Amino acid sequence: MVAILSLMVVMGFMMLGEWVSTRSRAYVPSVFITALLFLVGFWTIVPKNIVPAASFGTAFIQITQAVLLVHMGTLMDLKLLLKQWRAVVIALSGVVGTVVLTMGIGRLLFDWHTIVASVPPLTGGLVAAFLMTAGLKAQHITALVAFPVAMFVMHSMLGYPLTAWMLKRESRRLLQVRHVDVTVATADSATSATVQTTAQLPVCPLPTVPAKVKSVQPQLRHWQLPAAYDTSAFMLFKVAAVTGLAEWTAQLAHGTVNQYIICLVFGVIAHQLGFLEDAVLEKAGVFHWLMYGLLAYIFANLNIVKISMLSGILIPIVTLIVLGVLGMWIASSLLARPLGFSREMAFASALTALFGFPADYIVTHEVTEIMGSTAEEKQYLLDQMLPKMLVGGFATVSVASVIIASIFLKILLK
């Protein structure tokens, strides 16, 4: 009974977040509302262990994070992924802008230890927050433990809506560009037809292309079984196999490359070779369950945040957030035009440092669902924005956050 009630509450928070997002046309992202509900719930009547009680515990998350990143690889074409180096540069430049402004101006306003304990979550979201928290607890510096957690809670309240707003502005721009392109193509077709009619060309049927030569693309997909055997269990077996190979490779690399980045790369390769289908976990019917579980596990970490923790450090946290986000905006704006990005898309890519995956994936999908009026428009917006958001998030949260948190811990302990 306890497990079922816990699951009901957790999914109720997810549901309310989605409803508010739909009602607000994605100006208020679902992850923002759900985080608030968990936070207020932990302050009032919700048990601290509600998420593991709902079956979303440590063992679940060890599987979920890795297989979801393999799944992300099946959503992107390899050529498209390689083209996103600009998003990586812009995202990392945003991290640099954040560090420079907070460590520069912030040092004039606040205590050195406060800044060092608070800044890493601005460059890596939850990952950096809990790396700093664990490091501070291990060194028994309990007076500063509240800062990285409080920073994560507070900057999320700004990061989610601001990212959604930037993506909506970018969506409008992309749809205008698409409309112009379609109009020009239609006009060109009409002109061609008029010229052909004026010249009174004879009407004759178009030659047919023999079936054997219609497709000139290489056929890489030799892994599929007949439909009767291509079951959800078979798809999950293949995903598990790829994930296991990726994690084994990460162990051989001894942490040189983050294991989740390797999972993403292996997902892309397996997809390109035809071993994994497009959006494989969605076809297997388990994607949303895994995604909700991952979000619940992330929000469960808010159970250590107390009202007294926020009230005592509100001014330095808010000030550092403003400085950090301003640094992201300045750095991303400077590189936007040289790298062929709009300022909105560049800023959104830099903002992924605040939360990373899966929030970047969810916010982008919510915006495209709201802004696209047809399935074709929604897919067009996803193709244009999602790769940039995902790659930017991986670069900051999965790589830069670990490096920065490690460096800042060493600085703090000197």
Side-chain angles (χ1 to χ4, degrees), residues 8-349:
M8 182 186 72
V9 172
V10 169
M11 298 313 297
F13 287 169
M14 301 287 180
M15 173 194 72
L16 291 173
E18 292 177 346
W19 284 5
V20 171
S21 176
T22 300
R23 185 67 178 174
S24 67
R25 294 182 60 83
Y27 274 114
V28 183
S30 66
V31 285
F32 171 64
I33 296 299
T34 303
L36 281 181
L37 290 172
F38 270 101
L39 191 61
V40 174
F42 289 138
W43 287 345
T44 53
I45 62 173
V46 174
K48 304 293 186 182
N49 67 336
I50 190 170
V51 171
S55 78
F56 304 127
T58 304
F60 175 88
I61 213 64
Q62 288 176 345
I63 296 173
T64 300
Q65 181 82 329
V67 300
L68 278 174
L69 285 168
V70 170
H71 168 81
M72 293 298 106
T74 68
L75 301 179
M76 290 183 286
D77 182 85
L78 182 58
K79 293 181 180 178
L80 182 63
L81 184 64
L82 294 175
K83 289 179 181 178
Q84 298 309 318
W85 65 269
R86 296 176 179 84
V88 173
V89 172
I90 288 177
L92 293 179
S93 73
V95 171
V96 173
T98 294
V99 173
V100 169
L101 224 58
T102 53
M103 299 292 285
I105 299 177
R107 183 67 182 89
L108 303 176
L109 304 174
F110 306 111
D111 176 71
W112 170 252
H113 290 91
T114 297
I115 297 171
V116 175
S118 304
V119 169
L122 268 174
T123 66
L126 187 63
V127 175
F130 284 93
L131 282 174
M132 292 299 296
T133 301
L136 291 169
K137 286 182 177 179
Q139 298 297 323
H140 306 290
I141 311 177
T142 55
L144 297 176
V145 168
F147 280 88
V149 181
M151 173 62 80
F152 169 71
V153 174
M154 295 300 295
H155 81 55
S156 298
M157 296 179 182
L158 173 64
Y160 295 148
L162 185 57
T163 304
W165 184 43
M166 289 295 105
L167 290 178
K168 292 189 77 170
R169 289 172 60 90
E170 175 67 2
S171 295
R172 292 192 188 97
R173 186 190 70 82
L174 289 171
L175 290 175
Q176 289 176 353
V177 171
R178 184 174 186 271
H179 177 71
V180 170
D181 291 342
V182 170
T183 302
V184 171
T186 303
D188 290 343
S189 298
T191 302
S192 177
T194 302
V195 171
Q196 186 174 6
T197 303
T198 304
Q200 297 181 348
L201 294 175
V203 178
C204 60
L206 293 175
T208 58
V209 180
K212 292 184 179 180
V213 298
K214 280 185 179 179
S215 177
V216 296
Q217 298 296 326
Q219 300 297 316
L220 297 178
R221 299 189 176 275
H222 300 303
W223 305 91
Q224 279 72 20
L225 295 177
Y229 298 96
D230 196 14
T231 63
S232 295
F234 179 56
M235 295 179 193
L236 290 173
F237 168 77
K238 291 191 292 183
V239 171
V242 173
T243 305
L245 183 61
E247 294 198 339
W248 178 69
T249 304
Q251 290 178 355
L252 292 180
H254 300 292
T256 304
V257 181
N258 185 276
Q259 71 179 72
Y260 296 133
I261 295 179
I262 295 178
C263 287
L264 172 70
V265 173
F266 273 51
V268 173
I269 295 172
H271 177 246
Q272 292 297 302
L273 294 176
F275 185 68
L276 295 180
E277 297 87 341
D278 298 331
V280 61
L281 292 182
E282 292 185 35
K283 291 184 177 179
V286 299
F287 172 74
H288 289 96
W289 176 256
L290 295 176
M291 183 65 77
Y292 287 135
L294 178 59
L295 280 174
Y297 183 83
I298 291 174
F299 293 138
N301 291 293
L302 298 176
N303 65 8
I304 69 172
V305 179
K306 310 294 183 184
I307 296 178
S308 58
M309 291 168 58
L310 294 180
S311 60
I313 56 180
L314 188 61
I315 293 178
I317 291 296
V318 171
T319 304
L320 290 173
I321 289 173
V322 172
L323 289 174
V325 172
L326 180 61
M328 288 183 185
W329 179 78
I330 293 173
S332 61
S333 296
L334 290 175
L335 289 179
R337 180 169 292 181
L339 293 179
F341 277 48
S342 66
R343 288 187 176 181
E344 291 80 4
M345 190 69 248
F347 191 25
S349 297

